[in-house]
Amino acid sequence: MGSTDNFAFLLPAIMLIFGCTFLVVRRQGLRDAGYWAAAYFLGVAAFSMPLLSDLVSDSILSPIADALFVSAFYFYSGALLFRFGRPGFVRGRLVFCGLSVAATSYAALVAGNLPAELVINDLSCSVLLAFAVALSIRHARHLADRLLLVIAGLIVLDTVGRNIMLVFVMPSYGGTAEGFLSSNYDFMMQATASILSLLFGLSALGAVALDLIARYRGAADHDPLTGLLNRRGFDRVVADWATGAKAATGAVIICDIDDFKRVNDRFGHACGDLVIRGLAEQLSARLPKGAFAARFGGEEFVAFLPEVEIAQAAAIANAIRLDFAAADRSAFGADQAITASFGVAEHRQGDRSLHEQIGRADIALYAAKEAGRNRVMLEGEPPRDLPGIRIASAV
């Protein structure tokens, strides 16, 4: 990977900016940003080797730069593999890098063959990046991921093309590096490399930024105590699900822990938090695939079960009720049964939004409370407590 005075500062400057940016992003907890930062800083170090030419012989600096370049591409490939959840093949990639460094060092220090050194180093970097792209290409999650892989592929093609030029065009300039490096061919290749390096960094940064946004959005949409959706997240998921003709058809379950203030007053808020988590766990375990639940506030939960009829939803609610009431809470200080009440409603033709259905389920929930708690009540006028849905005696 040679450089000339035309681009002596452009590529290192680009890499330094991206390295610092990724280092800042890494502090937000995104591990793949650390791989990107390491790769760009190693690239800066490699391009900075000519600055030491007054202190160290070029014959020594050249293989050091080669080692830094291949190390940078080790981290580039690692960043892609980590991002797309692919195996890291750390040992294999390290062995490959070691062989590359050994080969370029031999070409530079023993054979004195600059073209061979450049070709070996460039192709080694290309292999590392191409390997990661090949393993990751089927696992792109969104447009930013696909763009990142496309640009990585273009870098591989550009590097291979540059070496073809080096092998077949350089002899036209007397076979000397000086003649070739001052030619228009070399200028165009380095311009292309600079543009691709900029695009690669921007696409990687964009993909990582999307991950960071998704993380903060997830935190904003979820209840920290239970891990379920909060009210905002619930509304967003419902809006994403119920689009166009695909209305929010299905059943709604609302549940509320009975006498929860008494639980907090008697056993403490730590116990109350564990009780809330317990009901959230029951909801997560019992709800069918495609359903989603939210903690609407305090001890109240709402679940939406798409395409589920009210009878099936009532059976699910009753199973959750029984499991919740039967849970042994003596380990955290509760020496009595703690129960919950449930209201269930289904979609009606005239519903303008899911919140009308939630309102009817809420009425059924209050009817369950007034009827003695620890039961499942279905919507209706008045709400009805169906035989077989509730076990009359308290658990």
Side-chain angles (χ1 to χ4, degrees), residues 151 184 233:
I151 295 174
N184 290 332

Side-chain angles (χ1 to χ4, degrees), residues 132-353:
V133 171
L135 288 186
S136 305
I137 197 165
R138 294 181 179 273
H139 300 274
R141 293 165 291 182
H142 42 63
L143 180 60
D145 282 344
R146 291 190 286 273
L147 180 62
L148 175 61
L149 292 173
V150 166
I151 295 174
L154 290 176
I155 289 174
V156 172
L157 293 176
D158 176 70
T159 306
V160 172
R162 182 165 63 248
N163 281 273
I164 292 174
M165 297 289 286
L166 185 67
V167 171
F168 293 102
V169 178
M170 185 173 170
S172 301
Y173 295 89
T176 65
E178 291 76 10
F180 180 75
L181 294 177
S182 62
S183 68
N184 290 332
Y185 285 111
D186 185 65
F187 177 85
M188 293 176 61
M189 287 189 297
Q190 291 196 61
T192 303
S194 297
I195 293 170
L196 288 175
S197 178
L198 177 62
L199 293 177
F200 192 44
L202 288 173
S203 61
L205 185 59
V208 171
L210 286 178
D211 289 346
L212 192 60
I213 291 170
R215 168 179 291 187
Y216 284 118
R217 183 179 183 181
D221 287 349
H222 286 78
D223 171 52
L225 178 62
T226 64
L228 296 180
L229 294 167
N230 56 25
R231 188 161 192 161
R232 169 185 169 176
F234 183 86
D235 289 342
R236 182 183 62 79
V237 173
V238 168
D240 291 344
W241 189 89
T243 56
K246 189 179 181 182
T249 57
V252 165
I253 297 173
I254 294 184
C255 55
D256 184 277
I257 300 171
D258 296 328
D259 295 320
F260 185 69
K261 184 179 183 303
R262 183 169 57 84
V263 172
N264 274 335
D265 291 343
R266 181 172 179 182
F267 305 115
H269 288 279
C271 177
D273 287 347
L274 291 171
V275 170
I276 289 174
R277 287 179 187 169
L279 183 52
E281 290 169 1
Q282 292 293 338
L283 285 165
S284 298
R286 286 284 187 177
L287 291 179
K289 184 178 180 180
F292 41 90
R295 182 186 178 197
F296 262 38
E299 67 275 20
E300 185 178 67
F301 295 83
V302 176
F304 176 54
L305 291 67
E307 310 296 340
V308 172
E309 296 181 353
I310 192 168
Q312 182 184 353
I316 292 170
N318 195 54
I320 295 171
R321 181 190 70 82
L322 291 171
D323 288 346
F324 179 72
D328 181 7
R329 300 182 177 87
S330 59
F332 45 87
D335 57 0
Q336 66 180 51
I338 300 173
T339 62
S341 299
F342 294 75
V344 184
E346 64 182 345
H347 176 75
R348 291 182 183 177
Q349 191 67 35
D351 287 347
R352 293 185 297 272
S353 73

